[in-house]
Amino acid sequence: MSPLTTLGELEVTLALAVVKTLVLVVGGVITYFAFKAYRRTRQRALGYLALGFGLVTLGFVLAGMLYEILNVTLALGVLLESLLVLAGFLVIAYSLYVQ
């Protein structure tokens, strides 16, 4: 392996870690504000919205964590990530449907 390939992989890994961290922070803030609005108004739709954003945020961050920390295969991590994102989007869609 050439040093340039290793350096390129390191940069991509670092960029991925930064982006995933930002997704976690921004998704967490959105989830927090949606939950805060739910607590203030007690509207079920806002509760579902908060839950949906929480699931989507968790899903986006989960694959890399499972791969790095628990040594699951990358394909299984991405599958679990996708299932959580799908569940989150379904909950968000439901929250927009109910009143």
Side-chain angles (χ1 to χ4, degrees), residues 11-32:
E11 290 170 346
V12 169
T13 302
L14 181 61
L16 185 59
V18 168
V19 169
K20 289 289 188 174
T21 301
L22 290 172
V23 166
L24 179 62
V25 169
V26 173
V29 168
I30 292 170
T31 303
Y32 169 75

Side-chain angles (χ1 to χ4, degrees), residues 63-72:
M65 284 182 15
L66 289 175
Y67 178 72
E68 291 294 329
I69 297 171
L70 300 178
N71 292 326
V72 300

Side-chain angles (χ1 to χ4, degrees), residues 33-89:
F33 284 135
F35 183 72
K36 190 175 169 184
Y38 163 72
R39 283 186 33 176
R40 187 177 61 247
T41 64
R42 293 294 178 192
Q43 290 184 5
R44 273 186 18 194
L46 289 173
Y48 286 124
L49 187 67
L51 175 64
F53 276 118
L55 287 172
V56 169
T57 301
L58 179 64
F60 279 135
V61 175
L62 188 65
M65 284 182 15
L66 289 175
Y67 178 72
E68 291 294 329
I69 297 171
L70 300 178
N71 292 326
V72 300
T73 63
L74 187 58
L76 180 59
V78 170
L79 174 63
L80 293 173
E81 171 190 28
S82 299
L83 288 171
L84 276 174
V85 170
L86 174 63
F89 282 146

Side-chain angles (χ1 to χ4, degrees), residues 1-10:
M1 242 186 226
S2 74
L4 292 178
T5 303
T6 306
L7 181 61
E9 290 174 3
L10 179 63

